């Protein structure tokens, strides 16, 4: 049951930088203009090409924008800081950023319901994005490069755009567990007693959506997670707290840990490894959405355009997240095509995710 896993991937993660990921060859730059062109024509074409290249970077460049845009986004902080600096430089629009977990962002939106503040909201949970849509709070928009998103990473009404994504896997401390490739159900085995933690699914959108996807795929078979709970699995908090418990050696194995956190920690030298159980996991697009109540709609549209630009998508890849565009891939982590996935139904998951998350927490008390 146990074997070495992902050693090549983890080695790549340790040396990859922000420029490690880029567009595939078929989406590369256009060929340069031929030098035999007449001087005046060459100059005109060169200017046109420069303008086109700028427009490709982000549609916001070609617009007369000013003022601000209020954005609510989950971690990673480093990625968000780069987003903000790059977008502000390109557009001159000031970004007012609130950063928190999906649960914190949703709570803030609820508190501000009578006096909305946010223009753009990004969540770490596709099902929570679908819930916002169902409540009628989102604006329809067709951003540039949306046609390059993976299939299913854009809703049919052009309200949710999976500009990045994460998946959950099993993360373990290599000083406590030498090798591991146990499937989800096998982690309920007696040999893992008092070794497991899981992120609080009522705080972590990624964990919540995984559990909903797992229950959808298994027709609500709780036996694996009941076994883990009876073996002493604990819930120390949201993603950061759960990973910290394993990094420090307090616990050995993080069940359903967010993958980009693991890759980032491994690059920093932490004694961790990650794998995706063979029966499959959930790849969770992180929806970017414009609120219908936006007071800065043009700037909000420009920001979503920016998130789908090649520059922003390369920043996503550098942060160990999965880029939303299928033409941008990574060298520093496992790509979408190599992650085994469960058979899921996002509508069902949206309807049941909250109850499933609450039940998991009750089991682990």
């Amino acid at each position: 049951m146990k074997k070495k896993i992902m050693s090549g991937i983890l080695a790549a993660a340790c040396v990859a930088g922000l420029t490690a990921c880029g567009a595939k060859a078929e989406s590369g730059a256009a060929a340069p203009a031929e030098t035999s062109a007449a001087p005046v024509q060459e100059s005109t074409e060169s200017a046109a090409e420069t303008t086109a290249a700028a427009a490709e970077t982000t549609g916001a460049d070609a617009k007369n924008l000013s003022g601000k845009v209020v954005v609510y986004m989950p971690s990673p902080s480093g990625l968000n800081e780069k987003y903000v600096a790059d977008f502000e430089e390109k557009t001159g629009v000031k970004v007012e950023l609130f950063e928190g977990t999906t649960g914190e962002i949703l709570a803030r939106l609820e508190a501000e319901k009578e006096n909305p503040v946010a223009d753009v909201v990004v969540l770490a949970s596709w099902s929570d994005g679908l819930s916002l849509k169902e409540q009628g709070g989102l604006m329809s928009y067709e951003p540039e490069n949306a046609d390059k998103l993976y299939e299913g990473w854009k809703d049919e009404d052009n309200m949710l755009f999976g500009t990045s994504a994460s998946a959950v896997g099993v993360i373990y401390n290599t000083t406590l567990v030498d090798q591991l490739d146990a499937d989800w159900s096998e982690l309920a085995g007696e040999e893992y007693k008092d070794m497991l933690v899981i992120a609080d699914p009522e705080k972590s959108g990624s964990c919540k959506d995984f559990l909903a996807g797992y229950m959808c795929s298994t027709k609500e078979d709780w036996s694996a997670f009941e076994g883990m709970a009876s073996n002493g699995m604990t819930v120390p908090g949201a993603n950061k707290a759960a990973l910290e418990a394993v990094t420090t050696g307090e616990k050995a194995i993080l069940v359903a840990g967010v993958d980009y956190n693991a890759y980032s920690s491994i690059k920093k030298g932490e004694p961790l490894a990650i794998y995706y159980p063979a029966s499959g996991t959930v790849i969770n697009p992180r929806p970017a959405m414009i609120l219908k109540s936006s007071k800065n709609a043009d700037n909000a549209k420009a920001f979503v355009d920016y998130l789908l630009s090649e520059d922003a998508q390369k920043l996503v890849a550098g942060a160990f997240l999965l880029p939303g565009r299928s033409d941008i891939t990574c060298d520093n982590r496992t790509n979408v095509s190599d992650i085994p996935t469960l058979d899921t139904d996002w509508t069902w998951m949206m309807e049941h995710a909250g109850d499933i998350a609450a039940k998991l927490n009750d089991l682990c008390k």
Side-chain angles (χ1 to χ4, degrees):
M1 178 178 68
K2 300 182 180 180
K3 62 182 180 180
K4 290 286 184 183
I5 45 87
M6 296 188 69
S7 58
I9 294 170
L10 301 181
C14 295
V15 299
L18 287 177
T19 59
C21 303
K24 290 182 179 178
E26 60 265 29
S27 61
E34 295 184 2
T35 55
S36 59
V40 174
Q41 182 180 1
E42 181 178 350
S43 176
T44 303
E45 288 177 349
S46 177
E49 288 170 358
T50 301
T51 302
E56 171 63 19
T57 301
T58 170
D61 291 341
K63 301 172 184 175
N64 293 320
L65 300 173
S66 61
K68 68 176 184 179
V69 61
V70 182
V71 180
Y72 294 177
M73 280 196 292
S75 61
S77 297
L79 172 62
N80 295 341
E81 291 169 1
K82 290 181 174 67
Y83 276 158
V84 170
D86 196 31
F87 179 76
E88 289 183 343
E89 181 180 359
K90 284 178 165 65
T91 66
V93 173
K94 175 69 176 176
V95 178
E96 294 184 2
L97 176 66
F98 170 73
E99 188 176 80
T101 65
T102 291
E104 290 167 344
I105 291 171
L106 292 174
R108 186 166 181 135
L109 291 174
E110 179 64 24
E112 296 170 348
K113 188 163 56 176
E114 299 304 317
N115 185 25
V117 176
D119 299 302
V120 175
V121 172
V122 181
L123 300 176
S125 165
W126 190 259
S127 67
D128 282 328
L130 290 175
S131 294
L132 289 181
K133 175 184 175 180
E134 191 173 69
Q135 295 164 20
L138 302 182
M139 178 188 299
S140 181
Y141 176 58
E142 296 187 35
E144 296 178 11
N145 295 309
D147 60 322
K148 296 181 175 68
L149 290 168
Y150 284 100
E151 183 178 356
W153 293 26
K154 177 177 75 71
D155 75 306
E156 60 185 9
D157 298 309
N158 294 307
M159 293 181 179
L160 285 77
F161 308 96
T163 58
S164 63
S166 64
V168 302
V170 176
I171 303 168
Y172 61 97
N173 187 312
T174 56
T175 65
L176 301 175
V177 179
D178 182 41
Q179 302 167 349
L180 186 63
D181 68 351
D183 212 335
W184 303 112
S185 60
E186 295 171 330
L187 289 170
E190 186 66 22
E191 63 266 42
Y192 303 113
K193 185 174 177 59
D194 297 326
M195 297 174 68
L196 307 178
V197 294
I198 190 169
D200 185 342
E202 292 183 292
K203 296 178 180 177
S204 165
S206 299
C207 185
K208 178 175 70 175
D209 281 354
F210 163 72
L211 288 171
Y214 181 90
M215 294 306 161
C216 176
S217 177
T218 62
K219 296 180 170 49
E220 300 185 74
D221 181 359
W222 278 91
S223 59
F225 288 91
E226 288 170 345
M228 294 181 212
S230 65
N231 269 344
M233 183 167 70
T234 60
V235 184
N239 295 315
K240 182 178 180 180
L243 182 61
E244 184 71 12
V246 174
T247 302
T248 61
E250 177 186 347
K251 295 287 185 175
I253 302 168
L254 171 54
V255 178
V258 180
D259 58 1
Y260 72 86
N261 285 338
Y263 292 120
S264 177
S265 295
I266 291 164
K267 182 183 178 182
K268 295 173 183 175
E270 299 293 356
L272 300 173
I274 179 173
Y275 70 95
Y276 304 97
S279 62
T281 186
V282 172
I283 297 177
N284 195 344
R286 295 155 61 98
M289 302 157 285
I290 302 173
L291 297 189
K292 190 180 292 184
S293 58
S294 171
K295 298 178 178 66
N296 304 286
D298 286 344
N299 293 344
K301 292 174 181 177
F303 191 80
V304 174
D305 283 342
Y306 168 73
L307 291 178
L308 284 170
S309 70
E310 185 171 324
D311 286 351
Q313 290 289 288
K314 288 181 178 179
L315 292 176
V316 168
F320 301 102
L321 282 163
L322 293 163
R325 281 174 48 168
S326 60
D327 61 331
I328 309 260
T329 55
C330 297
D331 293 330
N332 60 356
R333 56 152 298 144
T334 309
N335 283 294
V336 170
S337 60
D338 297 318
I339 298 175
T341 55
L342 296 165
D343 184 16
T344 57
D345 177 343
W346 280 103
T347 300
W348 187 94
M349 291 161 62
M350 175 190 67
E351 294 171 351
H352 295 86
D355 291 338
I356 290 169
K359 181 172 178 176
L360 187 282
N361 277 338
D362 286 341
L363 286 175
C364 293
K365 285 181 178 177

